[in-house]
């Protein structure tokens, strides 16, 4: 959910900001991302390293350095990706998204795909991730877990899905706005409830789904629907 939502929000915010790529534009974008992320990350990493040693993965300077530069998710081992401030593994992936975002949005700006085509383009990305998850479920291993859940290149698919949904949203003329009538608000509230019910039903039946598919692929469509519905902000 976090990775898809990140693609949606960044694209919604910057979809017109990278029609051209220049050094000043990139400098402003990367500077803003750095200021948003790294100061708090380094502070929490310091607390995690010195005050909360993880008995499973003892704090080590090599893992701390990878954490400090937010590249730990590129190491295919929990000794690094889940070390120190372990939840920062997702921030490591997010930094990769930040690096890619200007170039992806520049590419999207050069090809004016319609909203319908953009939504359709998310399907093969989802199918690729789900197929990989099902295939690797047959031979679980540390490397397989990494390739399904942690590898930034694999998780880029989630970001791309969110980005395409955001472009479909803005190119379809949608903006976050309250419903104009009470009936419309009630109707959209019903749609919101359906979106939540789809996710709830998947959660309820998750015990019967292979772990790797749950980590990547099983929830993707329901989360995409959830984001697209609530982005309208038309219900209660």
């Amino acid at each position: 959910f976090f990775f898809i939502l990140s693609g949606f929000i960044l694209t919604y915010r910057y979809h017109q900001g990278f029609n051209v790529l220049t050094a000043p534009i990139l400098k402003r974008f990367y500077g803003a991302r750095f200021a948003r992320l790294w100061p708090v990350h380094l502070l929490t990493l310091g607390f995690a390293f010195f005050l909360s040693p993880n008995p499973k993965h003892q704090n080590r300077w090599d893992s701390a350095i990878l954490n400090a530069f937010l590249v730990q998710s590129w190491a295919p081992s929990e000794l690094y990706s889940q070390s120190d401030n372990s939840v920062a593994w997702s921030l490591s992936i997010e930094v990769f998204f930040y690096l890619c975002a200007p170039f992806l949005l520049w590419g999207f700006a050069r090809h004016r795909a319609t909203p319908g085509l953009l939504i359709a383009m998310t399907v093969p990305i989802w199918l690729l991730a789900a197929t990989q998850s099902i295939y690797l479920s047959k031979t679980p291993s540390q490397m397989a877990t990494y390739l399904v859940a942690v590898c930034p290149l694999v998780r880029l698919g989630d970001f791309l899905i969110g980005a395409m949904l955001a472009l479909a949203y803005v190119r379809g003329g949608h903006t976050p706005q309250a419903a104009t009538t009470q009936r419309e608000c009630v109707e959209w509230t019903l749609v919101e409830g359906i979106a939540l019910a789809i996710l709830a039903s998947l959660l309820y039946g998750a015990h019967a789904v292979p772990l790797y598919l749950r980590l990547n692929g099983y929830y993707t469509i329901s989360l995409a629907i959830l984001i697209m519905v609530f982005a309208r902000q038309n219900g209660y």
Side-chain angles (χ1 to χ4, degrees):
F1 179 75
F2 176 67
F3 296 147
I4 299 173
L5 184 64
S6 175
F8 190 96
I9 292 176
L10 271 179
T11 302
Y12 180 79
R13 169 67 178 82
Y14 290 103
H15 67 278
Q16 293 181 322
F18 297 107
N19 293 329
V20 295
L21 289 180
T22 64
I25 289 175
L26 292 175
K27 184 178 179 180
R28 282 197 302 271
F29 176 76
Y30 290 135
R33 296 298 95 199
F34 179 91
R36 171 73 176 82
L37 202 63
W38 250 284
V40 175
H41 166 63
L42 292 177
L43 177 66
T44 54
L45 175 62
F47 280 113
F49 186 84
F50 291 108
L51 299 180
S52 304
N54 187 328
K56 183 178 179 182
H57 304 135
Q58 289 298 323
N59 291 318
R60 302 181 303 176
W61 283 105
D62 55 350
S63 65
I65 291 171
L66 292 180
N67 271 260
F69 286 95
L70 284 173
V71 294
Q72 69 270 35
S73 289
W74 291 97
S77 169
E78 286 188 357
L79 292 175
Y80 294 99
S81 64
Q82 301 297 317
S83 60
D84 303 301
N85 184 19
S86 60
V87 295
W89 71 272
S90 64
L91 297 182
S92 177
I93 297 174
E94 191 73 11
V95 166
F96 175 60
F97 296 163
Y98 292 163
L99 291 174
C100 295
F103 304 97
L104 293 172
L105 294 178
W106 174 77
F108 284 132
R110 292 168 62 86
H111 300 283
R112 301 294 296 180
T114 63
L117 179 59
L118 285 163
I119 292 174
M121 288 167 60
T122 66
V123 176
I125 298 174
W126 164 68
L127 285 174
L128 182 63
T131 301
Q132 176 190 256
S133 298
I134 294 170
Y135 176 76
L136 292 175
S137 293
K138 300 174 183 178
T139 54
S141 65
Q142 184 179 94
M143 178 57 74
T145 303
Y146 171 77
L147 291 174
V148 166
V150 181
C151 178
L153 283 172
V154 173
R155 282 301 181 188
L156 184 61
D158 294 325
F159 184 84
L160 281 170
I161 288 174
M164 290 177 181
L165 293 177
L167 284 173
Y169 179 82
V170 296
R171 289 181 183 178
H174 304 302
T175 56
Q177 58 185 4
T180 55
T181 65
Q182 185 176 11
R183 176 177 178 177
E184 185 181 2
C185 191
V186 170
E187 290 172 346
W188 272 101
T189 301
L190 178 61
V191 174
E192 291 172 349
I194 292 172
L196 288 168
I198 293 172
L199 178 59
S201 66
L202 293 179
L203 287 166
Y204 181 78
H207 64 280
V209 177
L211 172 62
Y212 284 0
L213 186 57
R214 277 181 275 154
L215 292 174
N216 194 0
Y218 177 63
Y219 295 105
T220 303
I221 292 180
S222 66
L223 296 176
I225 293 171
L226 198 73
I227 290 170
M228 287 294 282
V229 168
F230 278 87
R232 297 291 293 269
Q233 297 186 25
N234 279 342
Y236 281 110

